[in-house]
Amino acid sequence: MGVESLLVFIIIGAIAGWLAGLIVSGFGFGLIGNIIVGIVGAFIAGWLFPRIGFSIGGGILASIIHATIGAIILLVLVKVLKRA
């Protein structure tokens, strides 16, 4: 993985984490937290979506949407587990 790929990966993670934090109320983690939430969300969506037959497409916008949906799933799970 080149430096450019790593930079794009971090930027997509930051955007996805930020968007998920806006959508799921009560969550704001700062820049580093948003990057981590976005990257973990991308892994969750990358694992889950092929198993249910869901595909968004290719490109950076699709990657951001993909990672955001995964990050939303992660934040909702954290919210549910926090209440229990």
Side-chain angles (χ1 to χ4, degrees):
M1 179 183 293
V3 176
E4 297 86 11
S5 298
L6 185 61
L7 186 60
V8 169
F9 194 67
I10 290 172
I11 290 170
I12 289 174
I15 293 170
W18 175 71
L19 287 172
L22 289 177
I23 294 170
V24 179
S25 62
F27 283 93
F29 296 109
L31 181 62
I32 301 298
N34 286 343
I35 291 171
I36 292 170
V37 167
I39 291 172
V40 172
F43 281 116
I44 290 171
W47 175 81
L48 181 65
F49 288 174
R51 282 166 176 66
I52 61 174
F54 183 73
S55 177
I56 296 173
I60 291 184
L61 184 60
S63 296
I64 292 171
I65 293 169
H66 190 259
T68 302
I69 293 171
I72 290 169
I73 292 169
L74 174 67
L75 292 179
V76 168
L77 285 174
V78 167
K79 197 174 204 179
V80 167
L81 292 175
K82 216 173 190 183
R83 289 183 192 213

